[in-house]
Amino acid sequence: MSAPAEPLRVDTQLSGVILAACPELPQPLFDEGMRVARRHAGDAPLELHHVLSGFGWVLLNVDEEERYLAEGLSFCEQAADLGSAEGAEAAGEAWLFGDAGDSDLQRSLHRYRQALAAGHKAGAIHVAYVLEKLSDAEPKRAADYLREAEGLLLQTAASAEADVASWGCYGVGRLYLDRRFFGKADQAESWLLKSAELGWGPAMDALAERVYRGKDLSKSLEWREKYRVWESEQDPDEDEWPDTGEAVASLAEPRPRRWPWLLALALLALLLWWRR
């Protein structure tokens, strides 16, 4: 009598879900998906949400031919609905940047809220970022969106985890530089300094370019150099789950300044008056 067949491993059974959905998936992407899923599971047994979120993240971020973006987003959303913080985070980012089609801020917000509820460490930062984007897209609700974003960022800034606190302090400082927070603009510098001192590079860049530039050359150059050093130490090939993602980094993008146009108009008026 032959020995009984060895039971299928859990991850082998679950991988069948992926093969059924993507029967033509190249072997390198399949192997990478399983590797990411196992790494995220750690010592715990693989479950369906691990596999779905692992493959979803890989197909959204690693598939150079972009053949499986829609499947990647679908996997991430299925994982999110099963309680996966990583799946929800990846889906939120995909909807934010339109990785698998059109950008949709409301869908992005929904998935980022799921990530926050599931305990993702960057969830509050990303919810706040999308709320700020929505405040631009829906001016009538801007006050509500900005108030909620401010609350989330202040809460994050008080985190006991240094990296999370640095993101929160940066987010508060960046928000207070917004012209709609003109009453708190004088607080922006202190929040950005807290973030920079905790080691967050985009805060250093904001200090150099938005706080001290044109006001204090020595401080601007000092923080510009610190940001350059920080940037040089970042690993461009770091293979990790998206923690801060592009959303937090893109908070550093400055809003257009109006004073050059006003100055030009004033000079034009002066010239016209002089020629009279």
Side-chain angles (χ1 to χ4, degrees), residues 54-259:
F55 273 92
W57 186 84
V58 166
L59 296 183
L60 285 170
N61 293 274
V62 180
D63 179 15
E64 295 182 356
E65 297 182 3
E66 300 184 347
R67 294 174 56 192
Y68 300 99
L69 293 177
E71 288 86 351
L73 176 57
S74 175
F75 290 155
C76 286
E77 293 195 308
Q78 291 177 61
D81 292 337
L82 291 172
S84 168
E86 288 71 25
E89 179 75 6
E93 184 173 325
W95 282 116
L96 175 61
F97 295 107
D99 291 341
D102 295 332
S103 173
D104 190 315
L105 292 178
Q106 289 292 350
R107 289 186 177 183
S108 175
L109 180 62
H110 170 64
R111 294 304 177 182
Y112 276 140
R113 287 194 191 281
Q114 282 187 314
L116 174 59
H120 196 284
K121 65 189 298 183
I125 296 291
H126 289 156
V127 169
Y129 176 73
V130 178
L131 288 169
E132 186 182 2
K133 298 282 284 185
L134 281 167
S135 74
D136 291 328
E138 302 177 22
K140 292 183 178 180
R141 298 186 60 190
D144 293 334
Y145 287 138
L146 292 173
R147 190 180 303 112
E148 183 181 357
E150 181 185 19
L152 285 169
L153 292 169
L154 287 170
Q155 180 181 345
T156 306
S159 172
E161 296 183 66
D163 56 347
V164 177
S166 72
W167 306 336
C169 291
Y170 169 67
V172 175
R174 169 63 181 79
L175 200 63
Y176 287 173
L177 286 175
D178 190 306
R179 60 183 178 273
R180 292 170 293 185
F181 279 87
F182 63 91
K184 299 181 178 180
D186 58 336
Q187 301 178 36
E189 178 182 355
S190 62
W191 284 106
L192 291 171
L193 281 170
K194 289 179 184 179
S195 177
E197 289 164 359
L198 287 170
W200 185 231
M204 305 173 194
D205 181 55
L207 285 167
E209 296 297 325
R210 302 204 61 199
V211 175
Y212 296 128
R213 186 176 183 180
K215 298 177 182 178
D216 190 321
L217 180 59
S218 63
K219 287 185 178 181
S220 179
L221 292 175
E222 175 189 352
W223 284 110
R224 168 53 51 192
E225 177 61 19
K226 289 181 178 180
Y227 175 68
R228 187 192 66 77
V229 172
W230 176 86
E231 195 173 35
S232 70
E233 293 173 349
Q234 304 310 299
D235 183 1
D237 298 320
E238 186 179 14
D239 185 19
E240 297 290 343
W241 283 94
D243 278 337
T244 59
E246 294 179 52
V248 174
S250 62
L251 282 169
E253 297 175 3
R255 291 180 176 272
R257 298 179 179 178
R258 294 183 177 181
W259 66 264

